[in-house]
Amino acid sequence: MSYTVTSDKFEAKKKGETITDKELLELGLNADALVAGEHLKKTVTTKPATVEETK
Amino acid sequence: MARIVLTDASVVINGINLSEFITSVSLSTSEDVVDTTGMASAGARTRVAGLADNSVTFEFNQDFATSAPEVTINAVGSSLVGTNVTCVVKPTSAAVGASNPSYSFSAVVSEWQALSGAVGELATISATWPISGVITKAV
């Protein structure tokens, strides 16, 4: 899981940058609270469609 | 060594810089004192230090806007109240160094006042949180 920084008060990264669950864990930060507080936004990753799925 | 008047202390809670809302910060350490007095203590108590007990007190100006204290500490759906939270405080917002050490710790958010104040007064929050474990100082 990764997140886009949406707050200019987030110290670890600048607004618009991406941070991963692993990085948040290493920093000891609570990802759920940061998302709920609108400091981070979950990044939606789309899996490329396979040939089988496009048939 | 220069004395310091706090005008620019840095307070980061769960990775969010809330310094602009902080009006006071106090980091405290006390040690249990364990009595070791025995019969051969020459008539005076003897003591050794026991466990350290750390706490932090923040005073905030409350604000319900985006990126402000209420949504950072007490967001709907995932409040930090009742959890351990990583905090970092520094005397100034400048880079960490010998004259601007950082203090990092994990505090238990044991209390929060979402709304506190009297008519005509600024809404403020005073919260004292016990610290779990040691305070790590970096210079």
Side-chain angles (χ1 to χ4, degrees):
Chain A
M1 175 68 74
S2 63
Y3 306 85
T4 303
V5 178
T6 56
S7 166
D8 54 11
K9 295 189 184 305
F10 189 65
E11 286 281 294
K13 300 259 185 172
K14 290 179 180 169
K15 190 174 182 177
E17 291 184 339
T18 301
I19 190 164
T20 64
D21 262 334
K22 186 183 174 198
E23 289 174 301
L24 290 168
L25 192 64
E26 287 169 355
L27 293 167
L29 304 182
N30 183 321
D32 290 341
L34 289 168
V35 171
E38 300 179 352
H39 298 293
L40 301 181
K41 186 178 179 183
K42 287 182 182 173
T43 303
V44 178
T45 53
T46 52
K47 189 181 72 173
T50 63
V51 175
E52 289 298 317
E53 288 169 339
T54 56
K55 284 182 182 175
Chain B
M1 192 68 180
R3 276 61 171 171
I4 182 169
V5 175
L6 291 176
T7 59
D8 182 33
S10 173
V11 174
V12 176
I13 300 174
N14 197 33
I16 302 301
N17 191 327
L18 292 177
S19 306
E20 70 173 279
F21 304 99
I22 296 286
T23 59
S24 173
V25 55
S26 178
L27 199 52
S28 303
T29 300
S30 64
E31 294 272 348
D32 289 346
V33 178
V34 180
D35 196 311
T36 57
T37 309
M39 288 299 180
S41 295
R45 290 194 177 278
T46 58
R47 299 177 171 95
V48 294
L51 295 172
D53 189 7
N54 302 308
S55 66
V56 63
T57 300
F58 295 121
E59 292 189 12
F60 302 79
N61 288 332
Q62 178 60 299
D63 193 326
F64 296 91
T66 304
S67 296
E70 179 66 12
V71 295
T72 301
I73 308 294
N74 193 29
V76 173
S78 188
S79 173
L80 290 173
V81 180
T83 69
N84 284 40
V85 66
T86 299
C87 303
V88 182
V89 300
K90 293 187 297 180
T92 78
S93 60
V96 174
S99 61
N100 193 42
S102 74
Y103 300 89
S104 306
F105 51 89
S106 174
V108 181
V109 184
S110 57
E111 61 174 356
W112 185 249
Q113 298 138 16
L115 194 58
S116 177
V119 61
E121 292 181 351
L122 193 65
T124 60
I125 301 153
S126 178
T128 297
W129 299 337
I131 290 171
S132 176
V134 299
I135 298 170
T136 302
K137 181 179 179 180
V139 294

